[in-house]
Amino acid sequence: MNNMLPMLYESVFGIIALFILTKVLGKTQISQLTPFDFIAAVVIGELVGNALFDKKAGIIDIGYVILIWGVLLFIIEKVAQKFKGSRFILEGKPSLVIHKGELIYEELRKNKIDINELQQLLRMKDVFAVQEVEYAVLETNGELSVLKKTEYQTPTKKDLNVAPTEPQIAMTVITDGEMIKDNLAEANITEDWLLDELKRQNFDSIKDVFYAEYLKNKKLFVLPYTKIKKKHLENKTS
């Protein structure tokens, strides 16, 4: 019981310190986990965990451990950026596992990947046949980058001679029956315009709307609160 309050302080401090550390090191440490990053994350977690349950360790000890590892990781990251030759050792290098439609068995073997695992990685890229692939690269973070053969590639607007349009991001203007005023301002539309659009679609109140999104030059997309009848649901599942 006497250790609970110190452990609370140390846990909060550890979380804050690790959060700051990830901010300093950058988002790639999380989104692109290399083998070295994985080892570093495990070691940091282990050191912080041991410090929390060590009666002799306090906030200063935890902070010191995190600081040491943070500095070491920062130095290693800078070394990898400055000296290209060190990147292969610290981060690994991509492997070409399919070249001009041919499977490179040697690269698969080196990376401990069998054909079933390769097929799974391809399916995650919406590719369901190996014969559709011209090139496939196994990245250092374990993901697969795929370039399909020309006949299997999705045609672009340029290929179809269709005039390109400006890309847009849909703005959520209503969610769970509540108006999002910040998004209205971002989309440069008013509350009166939104209410008029809802009335045109037979909605008397914003509270009747579960979700609504806005795209320029398009009709307001509105979803109401939908209640599925039990009998209808049973017919769908049977």
Side-chain angles (χ1 to χ4, degrees):
M1 292 294 290
N2 296 331
N3 294 329
M4 286 187 177
L5 197 57
M7 287 178 65
L8 174 62
Y9 296 148
E10 292 168 2
S11 298
V12 172
F13 175 77
I15 290 172
I16 295 172
L18 288 174
F19 178 76
I20 294 173
L21 179 61
T22 56
K23 288 292 184 182
V24 172
L25 294 175
K27 292 182 180 179
T28 56
Q29 295 292 324
I30 301 172
S31 60
Q32 298 176 351
L33 199 65
T34 63
F36 182 80
D37 296 330
F38 174 75
I39 293 169
V42 171
V43 171
I44 289 176
E46 186 70 17
L47 290 173
V48 173
N50 289 338
L52 287 175
F53 290 99
D54 188 350
K55 296 180 180 179
K56 297 180 180 180
I59 288 179
I60 296 177
D61 301 295
I62 296 173
Y64 181 66
V65 168
I66 294 175
L67 178 63
I68 289 175
W69 268 91
V71 171
L72 289 175
L73 291 175
F74 183 78
I75 292 172
I76 291 169
E77 192 69 25
K78 288 298 180 183
V79 168
Q81 290 175 4
K82 190 171 183 179
F83 302 102
K84 294 181 180 180
S86 65
R87 296 177 188 173
F88 298 134
I89 299 173
L90 298 174
E91 299 178 358
K93 62 179 180 179
S95 298
L96 191 64
V97 293
I98 298 179
H99 177 260
K100 293 185 178 181
E102 298 288 336
L103 285 169
I104 310 301
Y105 172 75
E106 194 64 24
E107 292 298 321
L108 291 173
R109 187 183 63 80
K110 286 180 182 178
N111 289 278
K112 307 295 189 295
I113 294 178
D114 58 37
I115 188 63
N116 292 331
E117 291 173 318
L118 179 63
Q119 288 175 319
Q120 180 182 350
L121 291 171
L122 288 172
R123 287 194 294 270
M124 292 172 69
K125 294 294 182 180
D126 296 326
V127 178
F128 289 83
V130 176
Q131 61 187 302
E132 296 180 6
V133 181
E134 185 73 8
Y135 294 97
V137 179
L138 185 65
E139 305 293 354
T140 56
N141 62 355
E143 292 188 4
L144 194 69
S145 298
V146 178
L147 179 64
K148 291 183 179 181
K149 293 178 180 177
T150 306
E151 58 267 32
Y152 296 108
Q153 292 179 8
T154 304
T156 63
K157 288 190 174 183
K158 184 178 180 181
D159 297 328
L160 299 173
N161 293 322
V162 177
T165 56
E166 183 181 355
Q168 298 185 60
I169 297 177
M171 285 287 185
T172 303
V173 292
I174 298 176
T175 179
D176 288 326
E178 293 185 3
M179 185 187 305
I180 305 176
K181 295 184 179 180
D182 290 342
N183 286 358
L184 289 179
E186 183 73 21
N188 198 25
I189 57 177
T190 63
E191 294 182 24
D192 291 336
W193 178 89
L194 180 61
L195 293 172
D196 289 340
E197 285 296 313
L198 291 177
K199 287 180 180 178
R200 288 192 185 96
Q201 297 191 38
N202 300 320
F203 290 94
D204 297 324
S205 172
I206 291 177
K207 293 182 179 180
D208 297 330
V209 178
F210 174 61
Y211 175 82
E213 68 180 24
Y214 169 81
L215 274 174
K216 190 177 180 180
N217 299 326
K218 287 193 176 183
K219 182 180 177 181
L220 185 70
F221 179 75
V222 184
L223 293 175
Y225 285 97
T226 303
K227 293 182 179 179
I228 302 175
K229 294 182 179 180
K230 185 176 180 181
K231 187 176 180 180
H232 178 71
L233 183 62
E234 289 175 350
N235 292 335
K236 284 285 185 181
T237 55
S238 60

